[in-house]
């Protein structure tokens, strides 16, 4: 009888570990431009999380953010802008990443922490400028990658298209912009707008430049892209 009880306990604990809750923390602090689409983005991400039984919290308070990192499986920077951390908070965030934490940057996450070289290399590039909102053609550079495998070969959509500087050559590019398809591009034939990195500590990061407009979060392809990025990072 004791052996049966022990076997039941092992199976129960094993099942609990298998279905352990995965926790996501959305950070949306802004010290520069504040995007009107942030509340819409938070709502969309929470809806996606609910569909996948992930737990999501959101904050624009940097001290609250770093205090919760030990319980978090994935951090999302949703259109953060400016210098959002003090030195102590920078240390806490870097420690989280270097210990295997996962990160998803959306849109203005590249318009953040310009004075912190580590973050610049980590995020993959810094925002430099953008033309007016307009339609553009997107090329799928890694069509077999799960985050973009659902997209057509040439994806056309409307958004605010970032030009970048200080692009890290180590990033793995998922999507590029066809600068012939719109006005105001400044990165030439190699204009990345979504990329990822995988780190020795086991963590992963993805950045996608879309998401300036409220409408973005209601687009089927873009919303599916967000969900696939989250699944990839939590896998």
């Amino acid at each position: 009888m004791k052996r049966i009880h022990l076997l039941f306990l092992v199976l129960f604990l094993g099942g609990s570990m298998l279905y352990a809750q995965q926790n996501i923390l959305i950070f949306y602090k802004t010290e520069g431009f504040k995007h009107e689409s942030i509340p819409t983005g938070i709502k969309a991400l929470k809806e996606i999380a609910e569909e996948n039984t992930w737990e999501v919290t959101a904050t624009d308070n940097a001290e609250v953010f770093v205090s919760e990192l030990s319980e978090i499986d994935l951090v999302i920077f949703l259109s953060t802008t400016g210098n959002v951390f003090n030195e102590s908070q920078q240390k806490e965030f870097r420690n989280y990443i270097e210990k295997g934490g996962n990160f998803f940057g959306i849109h203005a996450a590249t318009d953040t922490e310009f004075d912190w070289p580590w973050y610049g290399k980590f995020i993959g590039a810094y925002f430099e400028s953008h033309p007016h909102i307009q339609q553009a053609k997107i090329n799928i550079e890694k069509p077999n990658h799960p985050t973009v495998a659902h997209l057509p070969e040439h994806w056309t959509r409307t958004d605010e298209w970032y030009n970048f500087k200080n692009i890290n050559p180590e990033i793995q590019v998922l999507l590029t912009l066809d600068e012939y398809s719109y006005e105001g591009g400044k990165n030439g034939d190699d204009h990345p707008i979504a990329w990822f990195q995988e780190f020795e500590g086991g963590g992963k990061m993805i950045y996608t430049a879309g998401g300036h407009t409220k409408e973005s979060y209601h687009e089927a392809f873009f919303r599916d892209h967000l969900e696939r990025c989250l699944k990839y990072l939590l896998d």
Side-chain angles (χ1 to χ4, degrees), residues 64-199:
V64 170
F65 171 80
V66 297
S67 71
E68 296 185 3
L69 287 176
S70 62
E71 305 297 325
I72 297 301
D73 300 293
L74 168 62
V75 163
I76 300 174
F77 277 23
L78 177 60
S79 286
T80 50
T81 55
N83 292 327
V84 295
F85 294 136
N86 61 31
E87 288 188 11
S88 175
Q89 292 159 354
Q90 287 178 347
K91 183 178 179 181
E92 291 290 338
F93 176 65
R94 180 172 179 174
N95 185 57
Y96 166 79
I97 294 297
E98 292 182 343
K99 286 188 174 181
N102 300 302
F103 175 91
F104 186 24
I106 300 175
H107 195 54
T110 50
D111 190 19
T112 301
E113 292 291 338
F114 283 92
D115 300 324
W116 187 14
W118 177 87
Y119 182 82
K121 183 178 180 180
F122 165 75
I123 195 64
Y126 278 128
F127 162 78
E128 182 174 40
S129 62
H130 64 79
H132 63 87
I133 295 171
Q134 60 192 293
Q135 188 178 86
K137 184 189 294 182
I138 300 167
N139 298 316
I140 317 304
E141 299 297 334
K142 293 186 182 297
N144 295 323
H145 196 275
T147 60
V148 295
H150 65 298
L151 298 173
E153 183 178 359
H154 298 292
W155 182 25
T156 300
R157 61 180 302 269
T158 298
D159 213 324
E160 181 181 79
W161 304 114
Y162 277 5
N163 296 308
F164 296 103
K165 61 182 180 180
N166 300 344
I167 299 174
N168 183 347
E170 296 179 4
I171 61 173
Q172 300 294 309
V173 177
L174 295 165
L175 304 172
T176 58
L177 277 175
D178 178 353
E179 290 197 354
Y180 294 101
S181 68
Y182 73 105
E183 297 178 350
K186 295 183 178 180
N187 288 119
D189 293 335
D190 186 15
H191 188 151
I193 59 158
W195 56 79
F196 72 97
Q197 296 187 75
E198 297 180 347
F199 305 109

Side-chain angles (χ1 to χ4, degrees), residues 1-12:
M1 184 64 71
K2 289 183 178 180
R3 289 182 178 179
I4 294 175
H5 289 165
L6 180 60
L7 177 60
F8 176 80
L9 180 61
V10 169
L11 291 173
F12 176 78

